Structure formats: structure tokens, C-alpha cells
């Protein structure tokens, strides 16, 4: 009777020792009692009776999910390959274990389909320039869908948008044309501003005729600094007027005839 008693005592001791389990701070145990949900146990030393109770361990840390590369046809019929990364965590261990068979696989498949459906509604230019908006849209849809599983999607980031070589060359030509357009617009704006400044300067010089003489002197001062063989003599504009056809006929004097006078102008032949 001693040996069977020792065997029973050893078996009971093993069952008791096996009933105690240690869970880390970031782990939760979803405990089932005879197949029915009983409770969620927190971290520390916990008692889980073998055979009668079963415990499913759930990690509450943020999980990083690499979404595989997906073939996406954009709204403007351009085929691209897009991959992303997803960050999520379990908020309700009970629903994550009971409501879905494998929440990790389910979240991965949902992320792939959502990535294709959301990006397919946008043009290629939007995929390349508005990633923050697309990330926010994908995150919102995934968070709404996984809420029933007790999962919170923290963030979604599109990593790469791979294009064909022909599309890359087309985008490069488009960017070059855009830069040329901007250069021409900037050049035209510069010409317009320069013409406005020249007009203002002309108006200032027209207010005082002596200002142009000062400008002549300043130009001569600038030329004299350089060791050049060319000599420039500024000629007043009044002299060019005197050398015109009317000035030559009057000897350089202004030509005028008083009304009603029969006298001939000076220098005219009788």
C-alpha cells in the first residue's frame, strides 16, 4: 500500500506544480473552463488546472506586420507594385481569441486587400505625393474592420512604390518639361519686372533733364576705370535734334514764321 500511495501523491504533486504558470507583464491568459470562456488572467503566478482548464497566451505588445508586395492598378491605369508595413496590437484578448481563429493571419490578409482597394482609387501622382493621406485612409479602414477582433491598428506606412522602366522615363520627361515651363515663366516675370523698373527710371529722368547729364558722367566714370582703348563721348539729345532735317534748313536755329508776316526766315534765298 505504501508504493501506490507514493505514486498517487507524486501524481498529485506533479499536477499541482504543473497548475502554476508564470505570465509576463505584456502577456495575458484567456482561460477556458471545460471548454467555456472563464476569465482573462493578468501577469504573474497564476493557477491553471490541467485538463479542466486551458489557457491561451496572448501578447499585448505592438506587432510589426510586413505587408507583401501587391500588384495595384491605379485609377489612371498604371500598374505598380506596392508594399507597406502595419503596426497593431491586441486591446481585448477575449475577442482576439474567441471571435477570430488566427488574428495575425486575418489582419495580414485584410491589410493586403485594403491596400489594393484603397490605392486603386487614386492616380499614380497621388500615390507618389500624398502618402500621408493614403496611410491615414488605410489605417482608418483597417482599424474599423479589426475593432470587432479586439485589435487596434496604430499605424500604416507605405514603404515602396515600384514602377516599370518605361513609366520612370515618362515621369522623368514630365518633370523635365515642368522644370522648363517654370524656368520660362520665371524668365518672363523677370523681363516684366525689369521693364517696369526701366519705365520708372525713365519717368524719374524725364522730370529733370539734368539728371541724364549726371547719368552720362557716371557712365564715363565707370568706363575710365577699365583700361580700354575705346573712348565714348556722350552727345546730348538736343544736338541730335538740331542735326535733323529741320535744324539743317534753319542753321541749327528753331524755324518759326509769324502769322501774317511776309518776311522770309533767316538763311532763306530771296
Amino acid at each position: 500500500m505504501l508504493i501506490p500511495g507514493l505514486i498517487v501523491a507524486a501524481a498529485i504533486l506533479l499536477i499541482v506544480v504543473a497548475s502554476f504558470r508564470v505570465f509576463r507583464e505584456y502577456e495575458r491568459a484567456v482561460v477556458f473552463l471545460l471548454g467555456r470562456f472563464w476569465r482573462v488572467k493578468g501577469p504573474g503566478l497564476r493557477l491553471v488546472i490541467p485538463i479542466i482548464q486551458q489557457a491561451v497566451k496572448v501578447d499585448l505588445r505592438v506587432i510589426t506586420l510586413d505587408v507583401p508586395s501587391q500588384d495595384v492598378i491605379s485609377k489612371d491605369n498604371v500598374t505598380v507594385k506596392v508594399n507597406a508595413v502595419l503596426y497593431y496590437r491586441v486591446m481585448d484578448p477575449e475577442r482576439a481569441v474567441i471571435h477570430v481563429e488566427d488574428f495575425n493571419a486575418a489582419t495580414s490578409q485584410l491589410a493586403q486587400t485594403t491596400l489594393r482597394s484603397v490605392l486603386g482609387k487614386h492616380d499614380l501622382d497621388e500615390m507618389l505625393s500624398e502618402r500621408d493621406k493614403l496611410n491615414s485612409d488605410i489605417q482608418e479602414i483597417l482599424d474599423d474592420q479589426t475593432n470587432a477582433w479586439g485589435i487596434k491598428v496604430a499605424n500604416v506606412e507605405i514603404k515602396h512604390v515600384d514602377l516599370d522602366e518605361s513609366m520612370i522615363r515618362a515621369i522623368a520627361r514630365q518633370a523635365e518639361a515642368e522644370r522648363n515651363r517654370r524656368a520660362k515663366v520665371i524668365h518672363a516675370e523677370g523681363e516684366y519686372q525689369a521693364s517696369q523698373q526701366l519705365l520708372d527710371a525713365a519717368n524719374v529722368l524725364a522730370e529733370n533733364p539734368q539728371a541724364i547729364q549726371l547719368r552720362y558722367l557716371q557712365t564715363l566714370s565707370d568706363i575710365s576705370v577699365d583700361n580700354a582703348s575705346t573712348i565714348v563721348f556722350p552727345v546730348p539729345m538736343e544736338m541730335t535734334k538740331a542735326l535733323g532735317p529741320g535744324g539743317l534748313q534753319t542753321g541749327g536755329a528753331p524755324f518759326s514764321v509769324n502769322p501774317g508776316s511776309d518776311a522770309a526766315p533767316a538763311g532763306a534765298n530771296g
Side-chain angles (χ1 to χ4, degrees):
M1 296 296 295
L2 181 59
I3 295 178
L6 292 176
I7 294 175
V8 172
I12 295 174
L13 181 61
L14 290 176
I15 292 174
V16 172
V17 172
S19 299
F20 288 99
R21 299 180 60 180
V22 177
F23 298 98
R24 298 181 179 88
E25 181 65 29
Y26 54 84
E27 294 176 339
R28 297 295 182 271
V30 181
V31 181
F32 294 89
L33 180 62
L34 297 178
R36 297 179 63 87
F37 172 74
W38 183 42
R39 66 170 62 176
V40 177
K41 292 188 176 183
L45 183 63
R46 299 299 177 183
L47 179 63
V48 179
I49 302 174
I51 302 175
I52 299 177
Q53 294 179 339
Q54 296 85 31
V56 179
K57 188 185 300 183
V58 179
D59 195 332
L60 300 185
R61 292 177 295 180
V62 176
I63 300 174
T64 303
L65 177 63
D66 189 8
V67 181
S69 180
Q70 303 294 313
D71 292 329
V72 179
I73 300 177
S74 63
K75 188 177 180 180
D76 50 352
N77 295 326
V78 178
T79 302
V80 296
K81 289 183 177 294
V82 183
N83 60 350
V85 60
L86 176 69
Y87 301 92
Y88 69 96
R89 60 177 300 182
V90 177
M91 302 298 296
D92 190 343
E94 177 185 351
R95 287 189 293 174
V97 173
I98 297 176
H99 291 186
V100 62
E101 180 182 2
D102 186 350
F103 62 86
N104 289 314
T107 304
S108 176
Q109 294 298 322
L110 182 61
Q112 296 177 34
T113 56
T114 304
L115 182 66
R116 289 195 299 268
S117 63
V118 171
L119 295 183
K121 299 178 182 178
H122 296 80
D123 296 334
L124 178 61
D125 293 339
E126 296 178 354
M127 294 184 192
L128 300 176
S129 61
E130 299 182 3
R131 289 195 180 185
D132 292 338
K133 181 178 180 299
L134 296 177
N135 293 336
S136 179
D137 294 341
I138 297 173
Q139 186 267 337
E140 183 178 355
I141 294 174
L142 288 176
D143 192 27
D144 184 65
Q145 294 292 330
T146 58
N147 186 43
W149 304 340
I151 295 175
K152 171 66 178 177
V153 177
N155 194 16
V156 178
E157 292 290 340
I158 298 175
K159 294 197 298 183
H160 299 292
V161 178
D162 297 330
L163 304 174
D164 294 334
E165 292 295 332
S166 59
M167 185 56 60
I168 293 176
R169 290 193 296 269
I171 293 176
R173 290 194 299 269
Q174 180 182 359
E176 183 180 0
E178 179 65 20
R179 288 193 297 269
N180 292 334
R181 184 188 68 84
R182 292 180 181 178
K184 292 180 180 178
V185 170
I186 293 173
H187 180 72
E189 290 179 354
E191 292 291 337
Y192 175 76
Q193 294 176 4
S195 63
Q196 291 291 328
Q197 295 294 328
L198 290 174
L199 178 60
D200 295 340
N203 292 332
V204 172
L205 294 175
E207 293 178 358
N208 192 349
Q210 294 179 356
I212 191 64
Q213 300 297 334
L214 296 176
R215 185 58 182 166
Y216 284 156
L217 294 176
Q218 181 64 40
T219 304
L220 286 177
S221 177
D222 296 338
I223 295 175
S224 63
V225 177
D226 299 332
N227 296 325
S229 60
T230 303
I231 300 176
V232 179
F233 292 97
V235 178
M237 300 300 294
E238 289 78 4
M239 293 183 61
T240 59
K241 293 181 180 179
L243 295 176
L248 293 175
Q249 293 177 2
T250 59
F255 179 80
S256 63
V257 178
N258 294 328
S261 177
D262 295 336
N269 295 325

